[in-house]
Amino acid sequence: MAKTAIITGGSRGIGEAMALKLGELGYNVVINYRSESSKSLSDDLAAKIKDQYGVETLVVRADVSKYEDCETLVKEAVAKFGDKIDVLVNNAGITNNCNFVDITKESYTNLINTNLLSALHMTHLVLPYMVNHSTKDEQCCIVNTSSIGGLIGVINQADYCASKAGLIGFTRAIALEFAGKGIRCNAIAPGMIMTDMLRGVNQDELKALAATIPQGFIGDVSAIAGALEYILTASYLTGQVISPNGGIVQQ
Ligand code: NDP
């Protein structure tokens, strides 16, 4: 029977690469996005995954910082693909890139809701569709996109670092709580990856950034899709943080 995966923030960047990887691995893929401007991107991606890998897809607009939107997302996934969800990738995320004096309460609250609370909401809503089905041999997986900002401090990213470190704590606790039930939970903590998050940075700054990376270059989204594939196939891996980061951070 086909397996089902939900990915939040699947419209572009790292999420797009991971959605393609999920299709390649044979999962029916539920692609979530938030902005109206990403609707056509998400629809095109869904069609590409269907064509390329012969799996089914579903596109759902939802702001995952809101519990009610997460409920709609999970309901639509279950209505289309049935009451077993095999994989949940909590990937949606934003940055504010602001010092912690000028930043507003609204901005950092929105970031925590988007990057951290969304993962709690989605996991809370999806777990009932995992616990009754998963076994040692038919495992379900939750994968959280953290960041090296969850492992080290970064200037002007206090809210982001708090959200990403929070995701790591959440990953470890969920992994322990559900390890005996055939559910694995791991995090990916990417270093600097070329997506829209970095496209605003000018060429000189990008060069300077690349020079701070021991491997000497900014990563490609394929490195993160590769980490996802490893996690999904590594049946004895849970509660771990995999960090493709070019050597910036050593754990
Ligand atoms: P992008 O800005 O390219 O994509 C962000 C994705 O998140 C989009 O699909 C966006 O949807 C979605 N999203 C944002 N807010 C919401 C929301 N409230 N509800 C639903 N979806 C939402 O970023 P990246 O691909 O670079 O980042 C993906 C993840 O990887 C993030 O969690 C980020 O923190 C993390 N990361 C990225 C790094 C990098 O260097 N790029 C480094 C470390 C971690 P929409 O298209 O509709 O706006």
Side-chain angles (χ1 to χ4, degrees):
M1 213 175 97
K3 295 184 171 189
T4 302
I6 301 179
I7 178 159
T8 69
S11 53
R12 45 198 178 92
I14 289 171
E16 176 186 4
M18 292 204 286
L20 280 160
K21 178 58 75 181
L22 290 165
E24 186 188 331
L25 294 173
Y27 292 91
N28 291 328
V29 190
V30 181
I31 300 165
N32 154 254
Y33 71 102
R34 174 199 51 178
S35 323
E36 187 51 41
S37 56
S38 289
K39 182 184 180 333
S40 60
L41 279 181
S42 307
D43 288 342
D44 291 351
L45 173 63
K48 184 173 167 184
I49 292 172
K50 211 171 163 172
D51 280 4
Q52 231 162 279
Y53 304 115
V55 296
E56 293 300 317
T57 53
L58 174 70
V59 174
V60 184
R61 185 178 183 192
D63 176 349
V64 291
S65 68
K66 298 181 178 143
Y67 193 82
E68 321 76 74
D69 279 30
C70 293
E71 280 181 308
T72 306
L73 171 55
V74 176
K75 256 190 208 152
E76 289 195 26
V78 170
K80 171 132 182 162
F81 293 123
D83 66 355
K84 180 180 184 221
I85 297 171
D86 299 275
V87 169
L88 168 65
V89 183
N90 289 310
N91 173 71
I94 54 170
T95 51
N96 281 324
N97 198 20
C98 185
N99 71 71
F100 214 68
V101 173
D102 293 332
I103 195 166
T104 63
K105 175 165 79 66
E106 288 70 28
S107 288
Y108 69 68
T109 304
N110 180 46
L111 184 142
I112 295 292
N113 289 345
T114 303
N115 292 10
L116 178 58
L117 265 189
S118 63
L120 273 68
H121 296 334
M122 286 300 298
T123 302
H124 183 236
L125 288 160
V126 165
L127 274 170
Y129 299 105
M130 291 184 162
V131 280
N132 294 326
H133 304 282
S134 51
T135 62
K136 187 167 140 280
D137 299 317
E138 278 288 320
Q139 299 176 336
C140 292
C141 281
I142 298 167
V143 181
N144 296 316
T145 308
S146 177
S147 164
I148 52 168
L151 302 171
I152 55 170
V154 183
I155 290 170
N156 291 342
Q157 302 281 359
D159 54 349
Y160 186 79
C161 291
S163 71
K164 295 301 185 178
L167 274 177
I168 291 174
F170 182 61
T171 299
R172 290 177 174 146
I174 291 291
L176 272 190
E177 194 171 332
F178 294 93
K181 294 195 160 64
I183 300 169
R184 296 187 293 111
C185 183
N186 293 284
I188 303 175
M192 279 177 254
I193 306 294
M194 186 46 74
T195 68
D196 291 344
M197 258 188 193
L198 281 184
R199 284 203 182 93
V201 179
N202 73 41
Q203 283 305 313
D204 288 343
E205 282 174 328
L206 279 182
K207 265 196 194 148
L209 274 178
T212 65
I213 303 170
Q215 279 189 269
F217 60 93
I218 290 172
D220 183 75
V221 291
S222 58
I224 311 308
L228 175 66
E229 179 172 12
Y230 169 65
I231 286 174
L232 294 182
T233 53
S235 61
Y236 201 45
L237 186 85
T238 198
Q240 305 304 315
V241 183
I242 309 286
S243 185
N245 66 44
I248 301 180
V249 181
Q250 300 175 346
Q251 297 181 77

